[in-house]
Amino acid sequence: MNNESLAASLFQQLQQGQGLQQVSQQLGIDPNQASGAIGAALPLLMGAMGRNAQQPQGAEALLGALQRDHAGGGGGGFDLGGLLGSVLGGGGGGSATDGAGILGHVFGGNSDRAAQGLSQATGLDSSKTSQLLAILAPIVMSYLAQRFANGGNPAQLSQALGQEAQAASSGGLLTSVLDQDGDGQLGIGDLLKLGGGLLGGKR
């Protein structure tokens, strides 16, 4: 088993092939900006899922959703290209590609706050970071389904995502997004270092 984080592993897959190009075109930003934003958004998304999965019923509900909506057909692997096509094309993937719906579950009522925090961390307009999170949410769910839906159990999912939550919380942004009484103090420098760690990716 390698100890690379789930967010870093998925980030590398998005860097390969056309994924990064497609996302940057959809958002109307250059690939470098898109890369930096994705590097910050993935830990935020997975970290928030990790917070939710710390309660046993949260992990069970998440695993159930992965198995029900995101496991795809047969024993096929993670089809990033096909999934991106469905998400960006607004294809009829139902709840599997409903980014806004997934974000509602992940962040509760804090989806806007997540987009604003990511906006401050990346310098992108919050409408673009909101769009980015909605693009990435179904991809993260499908990726997790590929890793855990077949033969995984809630405890494994909770543990793996708990590590993501810990890493993302140390970046500051996750804590501020999920902190209900938020004092508005975003650890932007820390988050960018976190994104930089992903971007610099230790081999």
Side-chain angles (χ1 to χ4, degrees):
M1 291 286 286
N2 70 17
N3 59 2
E4 181 177 50
S5 82
L6 294 171
S9 173
L10 178 54
F11 179 74
Q12 286 186 340
Q13 290 194 39
L14 274 162
Q15 293 279 72
Q16 294 155 4
Q18 298 297 306
L20 183 62
Q21 197 71 36
Q22 287 175 282
V23 172
S24 66
Q25 284 173 351
Q26 182 77 10
L27 296 178
I29 58 179
D30 73 52
N32 284 338
Q33 282 181 302
S35 178
I38 291 168
L42 287 176
L44 177 62
L45 273 169
M46 289 197 184
M49 289 179 187
R51 285 284 184 91
N52 297 340
Q54 292 319 291
Q55 287 79 33
Q57 68 272 27
E60 282 172 29
L62 180 56
L63 187 62
L66 295 177
Q67 291 168 331
R68 185 178 64 247
D69 297 328
H70 302 276
F78 175 57
D79 177 18
L80 179 58
L83 182 63
L84 258 177
S86 297
V87 173
L88 298 180
S95 53
T97 56
D98 177 13
I102 295 167
L103 292 177
H105 289 297
V106 172
F107 291 115
N110 290 333
S111 296
D112 287 346
R113 185 186 257 181
Q116 286 163 5
L118 194 58
S119 169
Q120 286 185 262
T122 59
L124 291 176
D125 187 89
S126 61
S127 65
K128 291 195 189 303
T129 55
S130 180
Q131 201 182 349
L132 176 65
L133 287 168
I135 290 169
L136 292 177
I139 292 169
V140 168
M141 291 291 279
S142 180
Y143 178 71
L144 293 175
Q146 183 238 333
R147 297 285 291 256
F148 296 102
N150 295 319
N153 61 48
Q156 289 172 321
L157 181 63
S158 177
Q159 182 185 14
L161 285 173
Q163 291 168 353
E164 301 294 321
Q166 216 171 3
S169 293
S170 69
L173 180 55
L174 179 67
T175 305
S176 70
V177 166
L178 299 182
D179 178 15
Q180 292 293 340
D181 61 6
D183 57 4
Q185 298 300 307
L186 293 176
I188 292 170
D190 290 330
L191 182 81
L192 289 176
K193 276 187 283 191
L194 180 69
L198 276 177
L199 300 176
K202 298 190 185 75
R203 285 236 181 281

